[in-house]
């Protein structure tokens, strides 16, 4: 029959689509028969049309319904797989618990780390123009800093068409008060009126466009509105700044997201600062004290080369205004949180290194957990061998068996996932305390759900892959004959996996030890001064004008008489000058000298050591042109301790002499090495530092408070401790150390869980052997030795592999510190023996249990 | 019982199966009905009626031979079961009984 008198094919295909398969043949046949009949009687077009109508008359449920179709074999088999999986789970409760516990703890760790990493990576992404935002940073004399001179922003905005907006920020501390309630507030920024164009901090009350136009306005966060005004509407209320300026609340901001690198509570207009600030009044190019943020035009090419080009043009524009050689850099705002460790940077930045370390840790922990599963599954394979044999005999092919075992591991993996999610939910509050974050498990976050799902599936497939391939390989005839010796084949891989696990565990142990030692080292390191028992008070308000009276009061009380007045503290010094000149200075070089303005008591109070010369004389105006330098400065200036004193030195245009050399001391976090230091006499004020007598700190504080109340009643009394300030510098390191410890413990726990399962299994397998040995006179010790020696060998191998890896990783981390511990062999020895000890305890528990069993019981049952 | 109730169209289809006995498949039953009743009938409707009849146990079916005009596809041959025969007889009898109950005066 020719194609011509066939009905249109697409109609046939349509029918094929919707018609149930077992009806399709007859229906199609009948349709065709009628079509042929019609084509003979009428035209083809008519027949085609009627065919079309007929097909559509078949659009009825009885034709769609797959009523009589037999169930596909697959679903029955799937049900069987899950049934067997469940039976296996319930039959071997101990192993199932070990498996699921190990996997879920591993997953919970990974999910927590994932949440943490996600949070760290999400900083500043909430800004609408996040991709166009840059901060202008400088590099001068090899030092990177986040600050720029005041006029930079206006000049660039004027000259460069790529720049859409700029905003300058200046951070400050003020006393703010409403009525009698006064607080010292640190989170204050002065900002240009473009602030809300550049950044996307949402205003809850007030008008974004006019928010910063009013010079006596102040914008506060909701948190602060609550703190100062309680339930009342803050808008339009006044806040008194430093007891003199009345500021009107013109806007209330939503609380600043924790994922913002800028953390603040108050915004004041730059125009307010401009009334008093010298730099702003005079457009001073010589002082670097402002953050400059730049918003580029939307379509600006932001490839590295064009940015470098832009930086060069910025440099050219500014060059003629500054005497210094300074390179300008555009730092993407998105990278500030993780990649910025500059001088005068905002506080609280993270570290990309920790994000990397913890991502690796998460993967490691998950691998360790998967290895457990694989090991236990292969070890127990003998028990499943008969099942595999039987399945093969009745016609299962290998693919089906692989599918079965993968389904089984996926099932376990999903059960573990559920447990893990519950664990995460329970642990998140503690994790938040440990990591100082506000993480939540948000189930509406599809990204998170996808990733968690992916973790479960990967874990399932990964941990199921080896057992699946291994078990499905069995030859039915060998298995069913009953003399299968599996232990030989899979054992090298099993051993390899155990080694792998312990390599990870040992690396993490070494890591923990190194981190702990380094943190101890930081705490105990001799900084070049005695940081204990030092407290300081910021000179505020009237204390400046009543300085002499203040000093007299302090001197009169034996508790407070040991004091010094300094502008700066040697905790995290952030200033530096280049206008230091000495005889024989190379005019080309521009070394940066951090400086401190200190008084006569300073060196004594801090118990620093004068190596030669003297300290400043008390109340000596003659010392205004005298300088004290440190050893590092001597080195830079090409002098030595014996000849330095008496040499002339010019600083800030004032020619003077070096009167003393002080022993090097740390005035920055010890990630950075000591820089040349120049100390000059402090004639104005700053902070009053008091060395308290041991155990009299409380009394001293009270004495100070009463002096403060007497002289400076308008200001609240606050005090700080030097050692606490120092400890705060290493908050991130400490926090990361704690987290790392926690995860290391968990990794080792999971490894041991696996080891325990494995040793229990082997002890069980060798029950008869142990029985025979016991009957023939072996002691418990012999048996334990027999059972543990294999693991000991594996652990020794793991140590050999782990040591160089751990050494490399530890040194990599320590490179970030200018002053650090040496990674010596004792650390490795301690870590390895800890691992060995933990493993020995784990293994010996089951071994001793097996060895102590009455041999009669082991041998009786044939 | 609702399941055994025979609809009007079902009755016609069942009758056609009986008429075509031995060669009663979808297309044949349809042409039979069309010939007898002189109107066009939907193939789909016939098929679905046949399925319903089979579900009620009034017909049974088996796959039969193929022909060229069917494109080599087999037909499903239906035959009336004993229950089907009884159902037809019952209807027939019921109708007769009712016919006879009509009083002669009704037609005048």
């Amino acid at each position: 029959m020719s194609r011509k008198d066939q009905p249109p094919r697409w109609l046939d295909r349509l029918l094929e689509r919707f018609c149930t398969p077992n009806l399709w043949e007859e229906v199609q046949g009948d349709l065709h028969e009628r079509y042929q009949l019609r084509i003979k009687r009428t035209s083809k077009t008519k027949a085609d049309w009627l065919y079309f109508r007929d097909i559509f008359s078949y659009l009825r449920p009885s034709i769609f319904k797959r009523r009589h179709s037999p169930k596909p074999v697959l679903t029955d088999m799937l049900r069987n797989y899950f049934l067997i999986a469940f039976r296996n789970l319930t039959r071997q409760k101990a192993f199932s618990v070990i498996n699921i516990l190990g996997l879920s703890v591993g997953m919970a760790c990974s999910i927590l780390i994932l949440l943490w990493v996600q949070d760290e990576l999400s900083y500043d992404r909430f800004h609408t123009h996040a991709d166009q935002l840059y901060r202008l940073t400088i590099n001068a004399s090899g030092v990177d800093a986040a600050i720029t001179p005041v006029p930079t922003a206006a000049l660039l905005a004027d000259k460069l068409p790529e720049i859409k907006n700029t905003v300058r920020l200046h951070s400050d501390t003020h006393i703010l008060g409403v009525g009698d309630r006064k607080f010292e507030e640190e989170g204050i920024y002065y900002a240009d009126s473009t602030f809300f164009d550049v950044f996307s901090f949402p205003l809850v009350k007030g008008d974004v466009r006019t928010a910063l136009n009013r010079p006596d306005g102040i914008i506060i966060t909701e948190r602060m509105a609550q703190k100062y005004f309680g339930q009342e509407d803050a808008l339009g209320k006044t806040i008194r700044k430093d007891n003199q300026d009345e500021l009107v609340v013109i806007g209330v901001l939503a609380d600043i997201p924790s994922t913002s690198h800028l953390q603040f509570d108050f915004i004041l207009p730059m125009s307010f600062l401009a009334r008093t600030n010298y730099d702003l009044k005079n457009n001073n190019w010589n002082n670097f004290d402002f953050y400059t943020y730049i918003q580029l035009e939307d379509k600006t090419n932001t490839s590295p080369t064009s940015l470098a080009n832009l930086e060069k043009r910025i440099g050219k524009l500014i060059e003629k205004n500054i005497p210094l050689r300074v390179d300008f850099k555009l730092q993407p705002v998105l990278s500030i949180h993780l990649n910025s460790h500059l001088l005068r940077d905002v506080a609280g930045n993270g570290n990309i290194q920790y994000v990397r370390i913890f991502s690796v840790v998460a993967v490691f922990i998950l691998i360790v957990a998967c290895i457990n599963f694989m090991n236990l599954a292969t070890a127990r394979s003998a028990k499943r061998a008969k099942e595999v044999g039987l399945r093969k005999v009745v016609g299962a092919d290998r693919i089906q068996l692989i599918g079965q075992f993968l389904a089984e591991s996926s099932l376990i993996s999903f059960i573990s996932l559920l447990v893990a999610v519950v664990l995460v939910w329970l642990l998140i509050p503690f994790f938040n305390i440990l990591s100082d974050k506000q993480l939540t498990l948000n189930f509406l976050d599809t990204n998170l759900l996808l990733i968690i799902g992916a973790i479960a599936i990967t874990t399932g497939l990964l941990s199921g892959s080896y057992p699946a391939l291994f078990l499905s390989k069995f030859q039915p005839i060998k298995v069913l004959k009953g003399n299968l010796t599996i232990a030989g084949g899979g054992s090298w891989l099993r051993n390899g996996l155990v080694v792998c696990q312990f390599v990870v565990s040992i690396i993490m142990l070494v890591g923990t030890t190194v981190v702990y030692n380094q943190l101890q080292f930081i705490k105990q390191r001799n900084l070049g001064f005695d940081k204990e028992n030092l407290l300081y008070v910021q000179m505020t308000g009237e204390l400046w004008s009543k300085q002499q009276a203040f000093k007299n009061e302090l001197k009169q009380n034996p508790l407070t008489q040991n004091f010094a007045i300094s502008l700066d503290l040697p905790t995290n010094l952030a200033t530096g000058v280049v206008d230091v000149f000495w005889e024989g200075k190379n005019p080309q070089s521009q070394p940066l000298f951090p400086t401190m303005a200190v008084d006569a008591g300073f060196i004594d109070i801090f118990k620093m050591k004068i190596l030669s010369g003297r300290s400043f004389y008390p109340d000596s105006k003659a010392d205004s042109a005298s300088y004290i330098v440190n050893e590092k400065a001597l080195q830079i200036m090409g002098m030595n301790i014996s000849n330095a004193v008496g040499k002339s030195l010019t600083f800030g245009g004032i020619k003077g002499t070096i009167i003393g050399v002080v022993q090097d001391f740390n005035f920055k976090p010890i990630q950075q090495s000591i820089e040349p230091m120049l100390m000059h006499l402090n004639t104005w004020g700053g902070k009053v530092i008091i060395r308290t007598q041991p155990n009299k700190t409380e009394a001293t504080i009270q004495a100070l408070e009463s002096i403060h109340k007497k002289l400076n009643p308008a200001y609240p009394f606050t005090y700080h401790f030097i050692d606490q300030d120092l400890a705060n510098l290493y908050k991130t390191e400490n926090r990361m150390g704690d987290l790392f410890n926690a995860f290391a413990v968990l990794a080792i726990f999971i490894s041991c869980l696996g080891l325990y399962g494995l040793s229990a299994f082997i002890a069980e397998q060798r029950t008869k052997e142990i029985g025979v040995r016991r009957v023939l006179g072996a002691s418990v010790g012999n048996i334990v030795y027999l059972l543990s020696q294999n693991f000991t060998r594996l652990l020794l191998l793991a140590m050999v592999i782990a040591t160089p890896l751990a050494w490399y990783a530890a040194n990599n981390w320590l490179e970030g510190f200018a002053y650090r511990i040496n990674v010596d062999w004792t650390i490795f020895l301690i870590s390895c023996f800890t691992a060995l000890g933990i493993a020995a305890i784990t293994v010996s528990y089951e071994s001793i249990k097996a060895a102590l069993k009455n041999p009669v019981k082991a041998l009786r049952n044939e | 019982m609702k399941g055994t109730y025979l609809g009007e169209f079902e009755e016609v289809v069942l009758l056609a199966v009986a008429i075509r006995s031995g060669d009663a498949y979808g297309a044949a039953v349809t042409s039979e009905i069309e010939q007898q009743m002189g109107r066009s009938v939907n193939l789909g409707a016939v098929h679905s009626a046949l399925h319903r009849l089979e579900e009620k146990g009034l017909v049974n079916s088996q796959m039969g031979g193929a022909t060229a005009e069917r494109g080599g596809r087999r037909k499903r041959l239906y035959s009336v079961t004993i229950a089907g025969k009884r159902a037809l007889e019952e209807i027939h009898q019921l109708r007769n009984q009712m016919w006879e109950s009509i009083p002669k005066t009704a037609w005048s």
Side-chain angles (χ1 to χ4, degrees):
Chain A
M1 224 175 288
S2 67
R3 180 63 242 171
K4 246 174 94 186
D5 36 74
Q6 289 293 312
R9 197 172 268 173
W10 66 273
L11 283 170
D12 279 354
R13 274 198 214 110
L14 183 73
L15 181 75
E16 218 174 317
R17 285 289 282 281
F18 72 74
C19 183
T20 160
N22 60 315
L23 289 180
W24 173 76
E25 184 175 353
E26 52 184 282
V27 168
Q28 185 85 303
D30 285 348
L31 278 166
H32 273 235
E33 192 178 324
R34 272 170 75 80
Y35 181 80
Q36 294 305 331
L37 203 72
R38 279 180 186 143
I39 219 166
K40 268 179 222 147
R41 283 190 198 152
T42 60
S43 67
K44 174 159 163 66
T45 354
K46 187 102 193 271
D48 280 352
W49 165 240
L50 288 171
Y51 189 76
F52 174 80
R53 233 185 48 187
D54 274 350
I55 294 255
F56 274 83
S57 79
Y58 271 100
L59 287 175
R60 52 181 78 222
S62 63
I63 301 295
F64 289 125
K65 241 191 272 172
R66 316 262 148 164
R67 197 171 12 176
H68 298 292
S69 62
K71 278 181 190 160
V73 186
L74 199 58
T75 58
D76 281 351
M77 284 309 286
L78 272 182
R79 217 173 55 197
N80 181 269
Y81 290 165
F82 281 112
L83 189 70
I84 298 289
F86 265 114
R87 281 182 187 162
N88 267 316
L89 275 181
T90 45
R91 193 184 304 144
Q92 304 267 331
K93 285 199 184 68
F95 285 113
S96 307
V97 167
I98 288 177
N99 260 339
I100 291 176
L101 190 65
L103 267 184
S104 50
V105 169
M107 281 185 189
C109 287
S110 310
I111 293 173
L112 283 176
I113 294 177
L114 179 86
L115 287 172
W116 182 83
V117 168
Q118 213 182 24
D119 185 75
E120 283 286 293
L121 293 178
S122 70
Y123 267 71
D124 294 307
R125 296 206 185 272
F126 61 89
H127 294 300
T128 318
H129 308 292
D131 291 320
Q132 272 85 42
L133 299 186
Y134 291 83
R135 184 171 70 178
L136 199 62
T137 65
I138 56 163
N139 178 302
S141 308
V143 176
D144 288 300
I147 37 172
T148 46
V150 161
T152 321
L155 178 74
L156 297 183
D158 188 35
K159 292 278 162 62
L160 295 173
E162 288 96 331
I163 293 176
K164 190 175 182 182
N165 262 325
T166 59
V167 60
R168 292 170 300 175
L169 295 179
H170 178 78
S171 77
D172 215 334
T173 303
H174 288 298
I175 307 287
L176 297 181
V178 170
D180 291 336
R181 295 168 58 230
K182 288 172 195 161
F183 304 96
E184 187 182 331
E185 296 289 357
E186 291 176 347
I188 298 175
Y189 274 116
Y190 288 98
D192 284 319
S193 58
T194 45
F195 184 76
F196 289 104
D197 299 329
V198 175
F199 297 114
S200 315
F201 295 107
L203 263 185
V204 179
K205 282 176 196 157
D207 187 359
V208 176
R209 282 163 301 167
T210 58
L212 287 160
N213 289 350
R214 190 174 162 171
D216 63 341
I218 183 170
I219 295 167
I220 63 178
T221 55
E222 277 186 313
R223 208 153 57 101
M224 288 301 137
Q226 179 72 27
K227 176 174 165 186
Y228 281 88
F229 304 106
Q231 296 303 320
E232 291 173 54
D233 185 8
L235 215 59
K237 295 258 174 22
T238 49
I239 291 181
R240 187 173 253 266
K241 173 180 150 291
D242 294 331
N243 291 318
Q244 44 183 348
D245 303 302
E246 299 283 344
L247 299 174
V248 181
V249 177
I250 44 174
V252 178
L253 275 173
D255 285 343
I256 305 308
S258 60
T259 53
S260 167
H261 79 281
L262 289 170
Q263 290 292 332
F264 55 87
D265 283 312
F266 302 91
I267 297 276
L268 270 69
M270 195 61 85
S271 47
F272 183 83
L273 187 66
R275 292 174 179 175
T276 51
N277 184 285
Y278 173 84
D279 293 341
L280 282 165
K281 271 199 217 159
N282 300 297
N283 254 351
N284 181 14
W285 279 99
N286 292 323
N287 196 9
F288 291 70
D289 209 13
F290 285 74
Y291 296 122
T292 303
Y293 287 85
I294 289 173
Q295 180 192 354
L296 295 181
E297 285 288 350
D298 295 347
K299 298 217 170 64
T300 313
N301 182 356
T302 51
S303 66
T305 45
S306 59
L307 278 185
N309 191 14
L310 191 61
E311 283 166 359
K312 218 178 277 167
R313 283 163 58 205
I314 291 172
K316 275 262 160 52
L317 279 172
I318 300 175
E319 207 174 40
K320 34 189 175 308
N321 296 304
I322 323 179
L324 285 174
R325 272 201 317 277
V326 179
D327 291 327
F328 284 85
K329 294 227 164 59
L330 287 170
Q331 178 184 39
V333 163
L334 286 179
S335 82
I336 289 180
H337 176 66
L338 288 174
N339 295 299
S340 180
H341 308 282
L342 311 176
L343 195 66
R344 291 286 298 274
D345 210 332
V346 295
N349 275 351
N351 190 335
I352 188 77
Q353 197 189 10
Y354 292 118
V355 172
R356 292 207 190 103
I357 289 177
F358 282 111
S359 306
V360 171
V361 166
V363 173
F364 270 8
I365 289 181
L366 210 56
I367 289 176
V368 166
C370 288
I371 287 177
N372 271 353
F373 182 87
M374 289 162 86
N375 263 345
L376 288 179
T378 28
R380 285 165 53 225
S381 57
K383 304 218 163 188
R384 302 289 301 271
K386 284 229 169 74
E387 181 196 332
V388 172
L390 201 63
R391 278 183 192 275
K392 280 201 168 176
V393 166
V394 293
D397 57 28
R398 211 176 150 196
I399 298 295
Q400 279 176 311
L401 285 167
I402 290 177
Q404 179 194 349
F405 288 115
L406 285 183
E408 215 161 280
S409 58
S410 305
L411 179 77
I412 291 178
S413 154
F414 269 94
I415 295 175
S416 310
L417 180 71
L418 291 181
V419 179
V421 168
V422 173
L423 274 180
V424 169
W425 185 72
L426 289 173
L427 288 176
I428 242 180
F430 304 102
F431 186 75
N432 277 340
I433 294 171
L434 210 58
S435 62
D436 193 27
K437 293 240 178 231
Q438 288 118 43
L439 303 176
T440 48
L441 196 57
N442 181 7
F443 290 108
L444 297 176
D445 184 351
T446 40
N447 249 342
L448 184 74
L449 287 184
L450 278 179
I451 294 174
I452 292 179
I455 289 180
I457 291 171
T458 331
T459 317
L461 293 184
L462 199 68
S463 53
S465 60
Y466 179 71
L469 293 174
F470 176 71
L471 287 171
S472 62
K473 215 166 54 188
F474 291 156
Q475 283 178 3
I477 190 150
K478 279 191 191 159
V479 173
L480 293 176
K481 247 163 82 185
N483 55 359
L484 184 75
T485 47
I486 301 164
S491 74
W492 70 265
L493 194 122
R494 214 157 61 219
N495 290 343
L497 291 175
V498 170
V499 170
C500 226
Q501 261 183 337
F502 272 88
V503 167
V504 172
S505 301
I506 292 171
I507 290 177
M508 300 220 32
L509 264 176
V510 172
T512 331
T513 326
V514 168
V515 171
Y516 177 78
N517 283 357
Q518 174 68 16
L519 292 178
Q520 282 305 109
F521 172 80
I522 289 174
K523 269 184 213 144
Q524 285 154 11
R525 184 185 146 76
N526 181 6
L527 296 170
F529 60 86
D530 182 1
K531 64 187 179 188
E532 308 296 335
N533 297 323
L534 286 176
L535 68 87
Y536 67 92
V537 175
Q538 188 85 34
M539 286 171 79
T540 49
E542 292 167 78
L543 284 184
W544 287 88
S545 49
K546 295 181 186 164
Q547 221 179 105
Q548 201 47 52
F550 187 40
K551 280 186 192 168
N552 289 339
E553 289 278 351
L554 287 173
K555 272 181 204 157
Q556 272 164 23
N557 191 329
L559 285 171
T560 56
Q561 64 180 357
N562 223 349
F563 72 93
I565 297 177
S566 165
L567 206 55
D568 311 285
L569 293 173
T571 47
N572 193 6
L573 194 65
T575 59
V577 296
V578 288
D579 51 351
V580 176
F581 301 95
W582 60 91
E583 238 172 84
K585 183 187 181 185
N586 176 4
Q588 291 302 309
S589 75
Q590 262 187 359
L592 192 76
F593 277 73
T595 61
M596 289 179 98
V598 303
D599 73 349
F602 185 84
I603 302 245
D604 284 343
I605 288 292
F606 277 93
K607 297 192 179 164
M608 290 169 180
K609 215 164 148 195
I610 290 282
L611 295 174
S612 75
R614 59 172 176 87
S615 177
F616 299 111
Y617 289 133
D619 299 319
S620 159
K621 293 280 178 251
D623 267 343
S624 60
S626 302
Y627 304 114
I628 298 175
V629 294
N630 69 354
E631 294 170 89
K632 178 76 189 173
L634 287 188
Q635 202 185 317
I636 296 245
M637 297 190 293
M639 302 175 193
N640 58 48
I641 294 173
S642 52
N643 68 10
V645 176
K647 285 239 166 102
S648 74
L649 185 122
T650 308
F651 159 60
I654 299 169
K655 190 167 175 176
T657 45
I658 299 172
I659 57 159
V661 178
V662 66
Q663 192 183 35
D664 275 346
F665 59 93
N666 285 90
F667 45 86
K668 284 185 183 181
I670 68 168
Q671 276 93 334
Q672 293 161 48
S673 45
I674 294 174
E675 292 159 343
M677 155 63 60
L678 186 136
M679 292 162 132
H680 54 104
L681 192 64
N682 177 14
T683 49
W684 48 111
K687 300 170 177 74
V688 179
I689 306 141
I690 291 145
R691 181 168 288 280
T692 62
Q693 292 156 25
N695 302 325
K696 287 198 178 155
T697 314
E698 279 304 314
T700 314
I701 291 170
Q702 272 166 21
L704 260 176
E705 191 171 3
S706 66
I707 296 174
H708 184 96
K709 259 200 189 127
K710 197 160 126 196
L711 294 176
N712 194 20
Y715 280 77
F717 172 70
T718 49
Y719 59 93
H720 308 268
F721 291 97
I722 296 271
D723 52 355
Q724 268 174 20
D725 280 13
L726 282 168
N728 280 343
L729 291 179
Y730 308 106
K731 226 158 68 184
T732 321
E733 277 68 26
N734 275 315
R735 200 174 290 137
M736 294 305 122
D738 287 346
L739 279 182
F740 196 78
N741 279 355
F743 287 124
V745 167
L746 285 173
I748 292 161
F749 168 74
I750 299 170
S751 302
C752 285
L753 211 57
L755 199 62
Y756 172 77
L758 211 54
S759 65
F761 171 76
I762 286 176
E764 185 195 327
Q765 240 189 354
R766 295 171 78 169
T767 310
K768 286 219 179 81
E769 181 197 332
I770 293 165
V772 172
R773 281 178 191 271
R774 290 273 284 147
V775 168
L776 293 179
S779 69
V780 173
N782 287 344
I783 303 284
V784 173
Y785 172 74
L786 177 81
L787 289 175
S788 346
Q789 62 165 353
N790 193 23
F791 290 115
T792 316
R793 222 178 285 148
L794 295 180
L795 253 160
L796 289 175
L797 184 62
M799 287 176 198
V800 172
I801 298 172
T803 306
L805 292 174
W807 186 84
Y808 174 77
N811 272 314
N812 216 348
W813 181 69
L814 286 172
E815 252 169 35
F817 294 88
Y819 302 93
R820 55 184 184 239
I821 52 162
N822 284 321
V823 185
D824 58 7
W825 55 273
T826 49
I827 288 175
F828 293 101
L829 213 63
I830 292 168
S831 314
C832 287
F833 274 98
T834 314
L836 195 64
I838 294 171
I841 293 167
T842 317
V843 172
S844 59
Y845 176 72
E846 278 300 318
S847 308
I848 292 172
K849 218 167 85 180
L852 285 176
K853 245 194 240 164
N854 189 348
V856 175
K857 277 193 184 143
L859 296 174
R860 183 191 56 186
N861 200 355
E862 258 316 304
Chain B
M1 210 162 70
K2 202 188 171 200
T4 50
Y5 168 78
L6 211 52
E8 191 255 355
F9 189 67
E10 283 172 350
E11 185 190 338
V12 172
V13 172
L14 189 55
L15 282 168
V17 172
I19 293 167
R20 280 292 187 118
S21 116
D23 188 32
Y25 58 95
V29 170
T30 313
S31 356
E32 185 62 42
I33 297 170
E34 280 177 342
Q35 261 172 38
Q36 296 267 356
M37 300 178 68
R39 66 173 172 99
S40 92
V41 177
N42 255 339
L43 196 56
V46 173
H47 251 129
S48 112
L50 283 170
H51 289 148
R52 280 201 302 276
L53 289 172
E54 192 170 15
E55 257 177 16
K56 291 174 183 171
L58 304 180
V59 298
N60 57 20
S61 70
Q62 65 198 73
M63 295 308 281
T67 55
E69 61 264 33
R70 294 177 65 84
R73 295 174 189 91
R74 289 176 301 162
K75 30 183 123 155
R76 183 176 290 275
L77 293 173
Y78 292 87
S79 53
V80 182
T81 60
I82 299 190
K85 188 173 166 235
R86 198 167 295 149
L88 281 177
E89 281 168 0
E90 248 169 50
I91 289 173
H92 193 61
Q93 205 185 337
L94 189 72
R95 301 263 153 100
N96 280 346
Q97 191 185 312
M98 288 174 85
W99 267 112
E100 277 154 26
S101 312
I102 301 173
K104 292 278 186 287
T105 51
W107 308 114
S108 57

